[in-house]
């Protein structure tokens, strides 16, 4: 049975999410989104990684596809309402902690709600960080997150061999390994783009997920 290697499961799953969204782009979003939400809430345990992860994660991918305009509107609101932004982050943190400590976070429906609330908290945190000085490197990494994700696995393996022989302290080694993996991934992209291998990082036109039923409904 085919299983993805380590954290590379996300790359495999993205291809499947894209294919399903592409095939169902004419299906109304108000049918697809509840169906994906119901799928996430069901106790699906087939033992096959792709099936289980699709059930658990597809709703977030599809939500990003059909609700992207609303997310950008929320980010724009947060950028001009610092008090509201901080109030939301505080309320989310307290609610999340209470539900987790009360062993309620994994309940059907609750986990999905926390997932959406956490995603919005990440967006708001990004907005908050973008307003602070010296955060341009974080902005760049955020804009190139898939570049880092695609390349870090290769640089991680190389950096692990060097770090293991040069650094004895586990904490310092972990920090250096993380930094080396990120910088290595960016370096791989830089070299690839200048070596005529830009196609490795750019999808052809047929692989773009143009706004369909979901995208139109969310606009």
């Amino acid at each position: 049975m085919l299983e993805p290697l380590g954290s590379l499961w996300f790359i495999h799953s993205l291809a499947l999410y894209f294919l399903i969204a592409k095939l169902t782009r004419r299906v109304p979003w108000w049918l697809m989104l509840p169906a994906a939400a119901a799928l996430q809430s069901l106790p699906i345990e087939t033992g096959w990684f792709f099936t289980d992860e699709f059930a658990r994660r597809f709703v977030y991918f599809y939500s990003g596809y059909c609700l992207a305009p609303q997310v950008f509107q929320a980010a724009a609101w947060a950028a001009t309402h610092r008090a509201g932004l901080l109030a939301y982050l505080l309320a989310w943190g307290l609610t999340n902690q209470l539900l987790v400590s009360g062993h309620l976070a994994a309940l059907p429906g609750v986990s999905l709600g926390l997932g959406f609330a956490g995603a919005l908290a990440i967006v708001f945190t990004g907005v908050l960080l973008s307003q602070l000085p010296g955060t341009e490197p974080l902005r760049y990494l955020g804009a190139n997150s898939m570049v880092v994700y695609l390349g870090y696995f290769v640089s991680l393996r190389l950096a692990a061999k060097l770090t293991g022989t040069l650094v004895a302290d586990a904490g310092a080694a972990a920090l250096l390994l993380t930094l080396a993996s990120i910088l290595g991934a960016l370096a791989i992209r830089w070299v690839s783009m200048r070596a005529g291998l830009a196609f490795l990082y750019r999808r052809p036109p047929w692989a773009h997920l143009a706004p369909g039923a979901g995208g139109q409904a969310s606009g």
Side-chain angles (χ1 to χ4, degrees):
M1 185 177 294
L2 180 63
E3 295 286 353
L5 178 62
S7 59
L8 292 182
W9 70 267
F10 186 61
I11 304 301
H12 297 72
S13 295
L14 273 181
L16 179 60
Y17 300 160
F18 167 82
L19 179 61
I20 298 300
K22 189 86 168 177
L23 293 175
T24 61
R25 64 187 183 278
R26 298 187 183 279
V27 179
W29 71 271
W30 45 266
L31 288 179
M32 283 294 298
L33 195 54
L39 196 62
Q40 192 273 346
S41 300
L42 293 175
I44 297 178
E45 296 290 344
T46 65
W48 191 28
F49 190 88
F50 283 111
T51 304
D52 296 346
E53 285 304 311
F54 176 81
R56 285 192 288 262
R57 315 286 185 181
F58 178 68
V59 63
Y60 300 112
F61 177 91
Y62 192 81
S63 296
Y65 164 51
C66 68
L67 300 179
Q70 282 76 11
V71 174
F72 284 112
Q73 289 172 10
W77 174 87
T80 56
H81 295 78
R82 176 71 66 85
L85 181 157
L86 294 175
Y88 175 85
L89 291 179
L90 177 62
W92 164 78
L94 292 174
T95 302
N96 189 78
Q97 177 59 32
L98 288 173
L99 291 174
V100 171
S101 60
H103 305 289
L104 302 174
L107 292 176
V110 177
S111 63
L112 181 61
L114 286 179
F116 282 129
L120 188 58
I122 292 175
V123 172
F124 282 4
T125 301
V127 171
L128 185 62
L129 290 175
S130 70
Q131 297 174 342
L132 300 177
T135 57
E136 281 302 318
L138 292 179
R139 183 195 299 271
Y140 180 82
L141 289 176
N144 292 277
S145 58
M146 285 303 299
V147 169
V148 174
Y149 198 94
L150 287 170
Y152 94 97
F153 192 79
V154 176
S155 56
L156 175 65
R157 292 300 181 91
L158 297 175
K161 295 181 179 179
L162 295 175
T163 304
T165 58
L166 298 177
V167 182
D169 181 73
L175 177 60
L176 289 175
L177 189 60
T178 300
L179 293 175
S181 300
I182 294 174
L183 295 176
L186 295 176
I188 291 173
R189 177 184 183 273
W190 186 86
V191 172
S192 298
M193 298 296 284
R194 282 155 181 76
L197 301 175
F199 66 89
L200 294 174
Y201 294 92
R202 293 175 181 169
R203 287 176 295 165
W206 61 265
H208 283 264
L209 189 59
Q216 292 171 0
S218 63

